[in-house]
Amino acid sequence: MTTNTDYLLAIEDLTVSFDGFKAVDNLSLYVDKNELRVVIGPNGAGKTTLLDLICGKTKASSGSIQFKNKQMTKLAEHQITRAGIGRKFQTPSIYDTLSVYENLEVSYSEGRGVFSSLFFKSTPKLEALIAEVAADIQLTHMLDSDAAILSHGQKQWLEIGMLLMQEPELLMLDEPVAGMSAKERDETAELLNRICKNRAVIVIEHDMEFVKKIARKVTVLHQGKILAEGPMEKVQADEKVIEVYLGH
C-alpha cells in the first residue's frame, strides 16, 4: 500500500480502536511541506488521538502514516522524533529552574547521547540557532531569566522554542492558546505564521477566533472521521459542520 508521494505527511486508512470503539476511523489526511493545517472538531472527535498516532504514543490498529515517504507506524516515539516530528502537549513542560537560554540549549538534540551531553560544549552554530529561535518566540530579552518567572503565554512559547531547537520538519501543537490572554493569543498567531515558513505545522484548537487568524486549510474531525476539509470560509459555511458544532 505504501506509495511514494510529494506530501510531507501522508496518512491513509488510519484506524485505532479502544475496546471496540473507533477513536480514529479509516482516516486519510495529507499535509504539504511548510503547510499550516488546523484540525478542529467537537470533544471526542479524535483530534488528540490523531496526534498520538502520528508521534507514536498510540499504535494504529490499521492503516499507514508516511513521513517523507518513510513508514512511521512501527517506529518508537524517540525514532519518530529523530525523523523530524515534534509534538507539544497541552500543558507546557519546561524546566522552571533553568534560564530561558538553558531551556533552549538542553533541547538541542544534534548528535547528543547521554555521554555527549555530559561533555557538551556550545558552538557558534548552536549560539546562532538559540538566537534565531529566541527571536521567533519573542523571548530574546528574557534569555537570562529563569523560566519560572515567565507568563503562561511565554511558557507556551518557550516550549514551542524547545521543539524548534530540534529543527523538526513537522511540528504538532495541541491547543497552544488555552489559558492565554487576548494579546498573547494574537502574538501566538503571528508566531505560528512565522515558524511555518520552513516547516509544516499541525494545530489542534477550539478557539475559533484564533483559528481564523492562522487557518489556511482546516480539517474538521467528527467521530474519528473527516467531516469537512478546505479553507476556513468553506468549512464554516458547511451545513454538516454547522450541525455538528451547534449540536454540541
Side-chain angles (χ1 to χ4, degrees):
M1 186 171 105
T2 306
T3 49
N4 276 3
T5 162
D6 290 336
Y7 292 107
L8 180 71
L9 181 72
I11 295 173
E12 291 177 338
D13 307 324
L14 191 65
T15 298
V16 66
S17 298
F18 302 117
D19 298 326
F21 167 70
K22 287 183 176 172
V24 170
D25 186 2
N26 205 29
L27 183 141
S28 295
L29 177 82
Y30 303 92
V31 177
D32 280 320
K33 295 177 179 75
N34 305 342
E35 180 185 343
L36 176 53
R37 174 74 62 94
V38 183
V39 179
I40 64 173
N43 285 335
K47 305 182 298 294
T48 298
T49 305
L50 175 62
L51 297 197
D52 288 345
L53 287 161
I54 296 169
C55 78
K57 187 174 177 222
T58 299
K59 291 297 174 205
S61 307
S62 61
S64 157
I65 301 171
Q66 283 191 95
F67 177 67
K68 300 196 294 185
N69 287 315
K70 186 179 176 191
Q71 188 57 244
M72 296 282 129
T73 45
K74 301 283 186 281
L75 298 184
E77 283 184 74
H78 69 274
Q79 293 173 306
I80 292 171
T81 302
R82 264 189 218 137
I85 295 177
R87 159 90 179 272
K88 181 192 176 318
F89 293 88
Q90 286 170 351
T91 44
S93 52
I94 58 172
Y95 303 102
D96 274 341
T97 55
L98 298 182
S99 68
V100 169
Y101 181 95
E102 289 163 337
N103 267 279
L104 295 174
E105 186 180 53
V106 299
S107 307
Y108 182 64
S109 59
E110 188 180 328
R112 289 181 69 186
V114 175
F115 290 110
S116 59
S117 301
L118 295 174
F119 306 105
F120 181 64
K121 289 194 171 55
S122 189
T123 63
K125 183 188 171 194
L126 173 58
E127 297 289 330
L129 183 60
I130 289 175
E132 180 190 324
V133 168
D136 271 341
I137 59 173
Q138 299 178 329
L139 291 178
T140 304
H141 63 299
M142 302 286 284
L143 276 172
D144 295 330
S145 306
D146 280 355
I149 70 163
L150 299 178
S151 71
H152 172 71
Q154 288 172 326
K155 285 179 178 176
Q156 299 280 12
W157 300 338
L158 176 56
E159 191 174 23
I160 291 172
M162 290 163 73
L163 285 170
L164 293 178
M165 289 299 296
Q166 296 161 25
E167 302 182 278
E169 288 175 69
L170 172 63
L171 189 58
M172 304 191 296
L173 309 174
D174 202 344
E175 295 190 40
V177 296
M180 283 190 186
S181 67
K183 181 172 183 283
E184 286 174 335
R185 285 199 294 269
D186 289 346
E187 289 174 347
T188 304
E190 289 166 20
L191 178 129
L192 295 187
N193 284 317
R194 272 199 303 280
I195 65 176
C196 71
K197 298 219 167 35
N198 22 355
R199 66 188 57 80
V201 182
I202 297 176
V203 180
I204 286 178
E205 194 44 75
H206 282 290
D207 182 327
M208 285 303 131
E209 290 309 306
F210 176 73
V211 169
K212 285 175 197 164
K213 292 188 175 89
I214 61 169
R216 294 152 209 199
K217 191 170 184 180
V218 178
T219 298
V220 186
L221 290 191
H222 180 50
Q223 295 176 344
K225 292 180 152 88
I226 292 180
L227 184 68
E229 196 166 69
M232 187 70 185
E233 303 73 43
K234 175 184 165 220
V235 164
Q236 267 184 308
D238 188 303
E239 289 187 3
K240 291 179 299 193
V241 174
I242 293 166
E243 191 184 326
V244 161
Y245 265 104
L246 293 180
H248 282 66

